[in-house]
Amino acid sequence: MEQTWRWFGPADAVQLHEIRQTGATGIVTALHDIPYGVVWSQEAIAERKAMIEAAGLRWSVVESLPVSEAIKLGDGDLEPLFANYRESLRNLAAQGVDCVCYNFMPVLDWTRTQLAVPLPGGGTALRFNAHEHAAFDCFMLQRPGAEAEHKPEVLARARAWFDAASESTKDALLATIMAGLPGSYQRYDVPGLRRVLDAYRGITRDDLRARLADFLRAVIPTAAEVGVRLCVHPDDPPRPLFGLPRVVSNEDDIAFLLDAVDVHENGLTLCTGSLGAGPTNDLPAIARRFAGRTHFVHLRNVTKDADGSFEEATHLGGDVDMVAVVTAILAEQGRRRENGDADWRIPFRPDHGHELLDDGQRKTHPGYPLIGRLRGLAELRGVMTAVASLRGYPV
């Protein structure tokens, strides 16, 4: 598997020369300064690619080429937005960048309620607490009908948290929820978030599914024409949030979207952490079922609680059987190489990571420290080497 590393561009606190020392050979990045829906020019793509190649690395995956909110809302004349997306795909292909990760999560990207939970051995982790999510939803947003969507015991804890919380604590929770937009500089206060959520009022899961299918039908033919593989990132966490439907949360959702446009270029980013937070998701089974349409892999782990809370674990700890997932992906790589596929090696990156040692001294994006991800990459590299050796799979 191709070892890659997410890099947020020149302003990232982790520099390209440091990434090269991790052993990664590929970079996962995007042109985060370009607003959603605007065409990525060949010139801008070429400039970023040249910067990466000057450091002895290659631009392996785009993460993300964002989908405009209007497309998810089905709002107005969408053809200009589809046309811009198609043009960006053509421009990426012209510069030799042929794998594009995107997501279809409305309004928010990944969502946590704590960014620095202390770990027993030192360091910190990201965490999603169900009661803090409920407190924000019911008592800060005051979303109509929200209380009926949370378990009674979670709601009781949420009320106790809210009643005891200072204004600064509530502000910190809002900032933490907004931190899940790592490549975007769009942030909302509570009234602003209410207005954005109001736009989705009445939009059902089936509605959002239909809009995802419309998006795929609009852009996948161009991707296939120019040789770009699109790969959707699952919802994180894989459940509705703040009344927003989510439609890439489980095995059935993945099957639906892959069948919507049933070609190789319409694929999956297999994220073991996002899907792993779903209590009914069997990650090794999902990895095996959709291996042939998996174009990119995020490997991380979570430990789940009965109330719906979860915490980012070490890459080889937590509830996901990482060895079984890696084995499935390496088996697929072997199949592709035997078929003579030019792109048989599947890129992966160590996703998120604990803040360890002096990680806290850098101002990195939450979840993206240097040392914590380096530890994860080293652990995953060891698993891959061992599995490949035992099974005879190509690494």
Side-chain angles (χ1 to χ4, degrees):
M1 297 174 72
E2 181 188 11
Q3 300 173 38
T4 69
W5 190 276
R6 189 167 191 185
W7 180 60
F8 291 98
D12 197 323
V14 181
Q15 299 298 303
L16 289 171
H17 72 273
E18 296 174 306
I19 295 171
R20 189 167 184 190
Q21 293 178 58
T22 70
T25 58
I27 290 296
V28 176
T29 193
L31 304 181
H32 294 299
D33 55 314
I34 297 179
Y36 290 13
V38 176
V39 173
W40 290 13
S41 70
Q42 282 203 47
E43 293 74 18
I45 296 164
E47 181 180 358
R48 181 60 54 86
K49 184 183 178 188
M51 187 182 303
I52 292 166
E53 291 178 347
L57 300 160
R58 87 174 189 107
W59 190 352
S60 302
V61 181
V62 171
E63 186 178 350
S64 297
L65 181 57
V67 179
S68 300
E69 212 65 32
I71 292 173
K72 300 169 193 173
L73 285 165
D75 186 19
D77 179 10
L78 300 180
E79 181 51 35
L81 291 172
F82 291 145
N84 285 357
Y85 205 96
R86 291 191 291 261
E87 186 64 19
S88 293
L89 293 177
R90 292 189 188 98
N91 291 342
L92 285 163
Q95 294 298 321
V97 184
D98 62 3
C99 187
V100 174
C101 173
Y102 71 98
N103 76 68
F104 215 76
M105 290 179 266
V107 182
L108 300 171
D109 203 304
W110 60 265
T111 302
R112 303 291 183 270
T113 64
Q114 291 180 281
L115 300 179
V117 175
L119 298 167
T124 62
L126 304 179
R127 182 173 174 83
F128 179 93
N129 281 317
H131 71 279
E132 289 176 332
H133 164 231
F136 186 85
D137 194 18
C138 300
F139 308 128
M140 291 177 63
L141 279 178
Q142 299 178 335
R143 182 173 63 87
E147 294 188 28
E149 298 176 16
H150 299 276
K151 298 175 183 177
E153 62 273 20
V154 170
L155 197 59
R157 291 183 65 202
R159 170 56 74 181
W161 182 93
F162 181 80
D163 289 345
S166 64
E167 289 305 310
S168 62
T169 299
K170 296 171 188 174
D171 289 343
L173 179 58
L174 171 63
T176 297
I177 290 169
M178 290 296 102
L181 299 166
S184 169
Y185 298 98
Q186 178 70 57
R187 299 292 185 266
Y188 305 106
D189 57 13
V190 168
L193 185 54
R194 283 195 193 112
R195 287 192 294 272
V196 174
L197 294 176
D198 281 346
Y200 278 89
R201 189 171 295 176
I203 292 178
T204 67
R205 186 171 182 275
D206 286 344
D207 293 333
L208 192 61
R209 261 192 168 191
R211 285 159 195 177
L212 173 54
D214 289 342
F215 166 73
L216 294 172
R217 286 189 286 266
V219 304
I220 292 294
T222 297
E225 173 191 333
V226 300
V228 170
R229 291 158 292 146
L230 263 69
C231 40
V232 68
H233 187 286
D235 304 326
D236 186 8
R239 68 191 69 170
L241 291 180
F242 311 127
L244 296 168
R246 290 198 161 186
V247 293
V248 192
S249 292
N250 54 45
E251 188 170 350
D252 178 65
D253 288 341
I254 296 167
F256 170 85
L257 72 93
L258 296 183
D259 288 344
V261 182
D262 191 10
V263 297
H264 178 71
E265 289 78 12
N266 177 27
L268 173 67
T269 296
L270 179 68
C271 181
T272 58
S274 298
L275 292 168
T280 63
N281 285 336
D282 182 337
L283 264 297
I286 290 172
R288 290 189 292 267
R289 178 176 177 183
F290 301 113
R293 299 280 284 276
T294 296
H295 302 321
F296 183 33
V297 180
H298 291 179
L299 296 178
R300 66 178 170 87
N301 223 319
V302 295
T303 300
K304 298 184 288 292
D305 298 338
D307 68 352
S309 303
F310 61 90
E311 186 168 305
E312 306 262 5
T314 61
H315 286 76
L316 302 186
D319 300 333
V320 175
D321 185 343
M322 195 64 71
V323 174
V325 171
V326 167
T327 299
I329 300 303
L330 289 176
E332 171 61 17
Q333 279 200 161
R335 185 195 68 79
R336 294 182 189 186
R337 190 169 74 165
E338 289 177 5
N339 280 353
D341 295 353
D343 58 348
W344 63 268
R345 183 169 277 117
I346 300 171
F348 84 95
R349 67 173 177 85
D351 194 15
H352 293 186
H354 293 166
E355 283 201 343
L356 304 174
L357 301 173
D358 64 356
D359 273 333
Q361 297 175 22
R362 292 176 182 252
K363 294 183 178 180
T364 57
H365 290 281
Y368 293 94
L370 173 59
I371 297 170
R373 284 187 289 166
L374 174 58
R375 174 186 172 179
L377 179 59
E379 292 177 342
L380 294 165
R381 183 187 298 134
V383 169
M384 291 169 189
T385 302
V387 169
S389 177
L390 289 169
R391 299 292 187 92
Y393 296 144
V395 178

